[in-house]
Amino acid sequence: MLFWFVIIYWAISVGIGLYASTRVHNTKDFAIAGRHLPFYMVTATVFATWFGSETVLGIPATFLQEGLGGVVADPFGSSMCLILVGLFFAAPLYRMNLLTIGDYYKKRFGRSVEVLTTLAIVLSYLGWVGAQITALGLVFNVVSGGEISKLAGMWIGSVTILIYTVYGGMWAVAVTDFLQMIIIVIGMLWIGGEVSSMVGGVGVVVEHARAAGKFDFWPAFDLKSVLAFTAAWVTMMFGSIPQQDVFQRVQSSKSEKIAVWGSVLGGSLYFLFAFIPMFLAYSATLISPETVAGLIETDPQMILPRLVLDKAPLVAQILFFGALLSAIKSCASATLLAPSVTFTENILKPAIGHKLNDKQLLLMMRVVTVTFTLLVTLYAVNSKASIFKMVENAYQVTLVSAFVPLVAGLFWKRATHQGALLSIFAGIAVWLATLIAGPEDPLVPAQLAGLIASLCGMLAGSLAPQWLRWHPEHGDDGHQRLHDHAAAQTHHVGPQ
């Protein structure tokens, strides 16, 4: 019965996504929904995109093992990312009226920086999308009672999500995200109430977790622990900011105000609701301690699904797995679309050399989406990392390469093309050197060392004599040119 409810829900959501594709008429509709999304839909797509498999399966498993300090990256870092985007980045980026985040790097720093940052951004999505596809395989395997293998479930999930994403683009993502946010909220609250009644109330669970030390958040007061804690926090808080999926939600908004407050509210809601799966998972230690003991070392991601299947009534099971699938689908569709759009716009389109008409560019975006889906599914099939680690590790590459050029380009007038290039190369070089040739347990984590190197590269490259040759728009007047462009768009933010 549970399996057929899941199949029906899955089919309905795919149908809704395909219906939304009727609103796609050009590349702007496909990439950023024609900049027509209202406030409630922007909030929903921000929330639903980030409320993924790691939120329902990965974070609770990590919380049981490491406590609150172990989940500093997500939800603490990830929700702060969305709030920071809304407060500091949404307005200036929205005024530029660009199609991709790569377009920003091109206008501010030139073609070479555009290519390098775009490649880093696209690469970072392998881990995030891979985590969602891995979770899809797990869910189909569980709800089918083992009749569908995890491998088959991964392929079924990725192909069906691809169907509506490749046709509907950002419109399909936004419409299905709105539906899925409703399912997530209802499902999480319902199953939370069911589990709470089994253990004698929320207060019982909270007090038990407090007594067990699970609410210890801050690290031990020594340099190594503080650096590790800081690295985990900034990886998702800063590394997630220069991402196409975040940029798409900003650019898809109907107005600048919606772009700002949709991000802030979506991030705040994500932070609040991310604690429900943690509450559910810890409740499992009181309801079924033998199950938790058996899974905690072997497959902790299965603790919450196992609890629901073994202890919850059918209605609660349907709502839980409906919410879980909603979380995964919304996250996967958005993260399949984002890298495909930016790779097409910022790598393939300029490389082809001749001008493409809009219809040809739209077709190319769809072909790239299919190709990326195939590659990321193969990556997920062969990855051995946990869902939480796949997501956390995904943002290290953008943290060390794309974050500093984005911030410096927006808020430091003296940032130059030379500084951006040195920032990218220094950040990636130090990060890789620490990972590959550094000690197994370094004092300074690789991503934090890379971020520091990236910042130093930006400062040194921008303040040093300009020893690189480039076109005039890559010089010190790049900042002024960029803001002249943004000012020109302030009074015309509709489709062009």
Side-chain angles (χ1 to χ4, degrees):
M1 184 68 73
L2 172 64
F3 176 72
W4 286 111
F5 270 110
V6 166
I7 294 299
I8 292 169
Y9 166 68
W10 190 265
I12 290 172
S13 59
V14 170
I16 291 172
L18 287 173
Y19 174 75
S21 69
T22 59
R23 304 195 67 166
V24 176
H25 306 294
N26 52 51
T27 53
K28 202 157 194 174
D29 289 336
F30 187 81
I32 54 174
R35 301 192 109 191
H36 291 316
L37 297 186
F39 177 72
Y40 70 89
M41 199 168 282
V42 172
T43 301
T45 194
V46 168
F47 170 84
T49 296
W50 283 69
F51 202 99
S53 62
E54 73 284 356
T55 314
V56 183
L57 301 176
I59 293 175
T62 305
F63 173 72
L64 287 182
Q65 294 172 307
E66 304 176 30
L68 209 56
V71 296
V72 60
D74 194 4
F76 290 92
S78 53
S79 57
M80 275 304 300
C81 160
L82 297 171
I83 294 170
L84 290 175
V85 166
L87 295 178
F88 299 105
F89 295 89
L93 288 175
Y94 187 85
R95 295 184 200 123
M96 295 172 197
N97 200 10
L98 306 173
L99 194 67
T100 69
I101 188 71
D103 291 342
Y104 162 79
Y105 290 105
K106 180 181 180 180
K107 285 190 174 293
R108 182 63 175 90
F109 296 116
R111 173 65 179 158
S112 54
V113 175
E114 172 195 17
V115 171
L116 291 171
T117 51
T118 297
L119 290 175
I121 290 167
V122 171
L123 181 63
S124 73
Y125 278 98
L126 283 175
W128 197 6
V129 189
Q132 312 315 313
I133 293 173
T134 300
L136 283 173
L138 186 150
V139 172
F140 277 114
N141 177 257
V142 169
V143 299
S144 67
E147 293 296 320
I148 298 176
S149 69
K150 289 183 181 180
L151 179 61
M154 291 165 75
W155 283 106
I156 292 170
S158 61
V159 169
T160 51
I161 291 173
L162 171 66
I163 290 172
Y164 72 80
T165 304
V166 78
Y167 285 107
M170 188 61 194
W171 266 118
V173 170
V175 172
T176 54
D177 277 359
F178 179 65
L179 167 68
Q180 287 154 2
M181 177 181 174
I182 295 172
I183 300 296
I184 290 169
V185 169
I186 293 174
M188 287 292 106
L189 290 176
W190 185 290
I191 193 67
E194 290 284 344
V195 170
S196 176
S197 66
M198 296 180 194
V199 294
V202 175
V204 173
V205 178
V206 171
E207 177 56 30
H208 196 281
R210 186 200 63 76
K214 296 300 181 182
F215 292 156
D216 294 341
F217 181 69
W218 299 107
F221 196 67
D222 64 82
L223 182 60
K224 187 174 175 29
S225 299
V226 170
L227 289 175
F229 181 86
T230 303
W233 199 331
V234 301
T235 296
M236 292 193 71
M237 182 166 60
F238 294 157
S240 306
I241 291 176
Q243 289 285 358
Q244 175 64 15
D245 63 284
V246 176
F247 181 85
Q248 278 179 312
R249 276 131 195 82
V250 169
Q251 293 297 326
S252 298
S253 304
K254 191 181 291 187
S255 70
E256 181 182 318
K257 187 175 181 181
I258 289 173
V260 171
W261 294 110
S263 298
V264 172
L265 181 57
S268 301
L269 289 174
Y270 172 74
F271 180 75
L272 293 175
F273 275 87
F275 282 91
I276 296 179
M278 284 189 268
F279 165 78
L280 297 175
Y282 195 81
S283 297
T285 64
L286 305 180
I287 298 170
S288 186
E290 65 286 349
T291 301
V292 174
L295 291 172
I296 193 70
E297 298 297 334
T298 57
D299 193 4
Q301 295 166 162
M302 275 297 298
I303 290 173
L304 195 47
R306 196 73 264 159
L307 169 70
V308 174
L309 284 174
D310 293 345
K311 303 296 183 180
L314 179 61
V315 173
Q317 292 179 22
I318 292 169
L319 287 170
F320 172 79
F321 284 101
L324 176 55
L325 284 173
S326 294
I328 298 169
K329 285 172 79 275
S330 59
C331 192
S333 60
T335 49
L336 286 175
L337 178 66
S340 304
V341 167
T342 193
F343 185 79
T344 305
E345 173 71 14
N346 301 111
I347 302 295
L348 287 185
K349 179 183 172 184
I352 289 175
H354 67 273
K355 188 173 177 62
L356 296 172
N357 62 42
D358 195 76
K359 188 175 181 180
Q360 291 171 323
L361 184 59
L362 179 58
L363 175 62
M364 187 180 293
M365 285 182 177
R366 285 171 166 158
V367 171
V368 172
T369 304
V370 173
T371 305
F372 185 76
T373 303
L374 175 63
L375 292 175
V376 80
T377 305
L378 291 172
Y379 167 81
V381 166
N382 292 285
S383 177
K384 303 300 182 185
S386 70
I387 290 172
F388 187 83
K389 285 299 179 185
M390 288 172 76
V391 172
E392 184 180 10
N393 293 339
Y395 296 108
Q396 292 190 19
V397 63
T398 46
L399 176 70
V400 303
S401 61
F403 174 70
V404 170
L406 174 64
V407 176
L410 282 174
F411 303 112
W412 189 38
K413 188 176 181 179
R414 299 186 65 180
T416 65
H417 170 74
Q418 177 176 286
L421 284 178
L422 193 56
S423 173
I424 293 168
F425 285 120
I428 291 178
V430 171
W431 174 59
L432 289 177
T434 308
L435 282 177
I436 297 170
E440 187 173 334
D441 186 21
L443 174 64
V444 182
Q447 70 269 36
L448 186 58
L451 176 62
I452 295 169
S454 179
L455 177 60
C456 292
M458 174 60 75
L459 293 172
S462 297
L463 297 176
Q466 303 300 299
W467 49 269
L468 294 176
R469 288 178 173 268
W470 55 77
H471 296 292
E473 66 268 21
H474 300 164
D476 290 326
D477 65 343
H479 187 273
Q480 187 60 47
R481 289 171 180 267
L482 182 64
H483 283 273
D484 288 346
H485 173 81
Q489 302 303 324
T490 301
H491 300 294
H492 182 80
V493 295
Q496 295 183 340

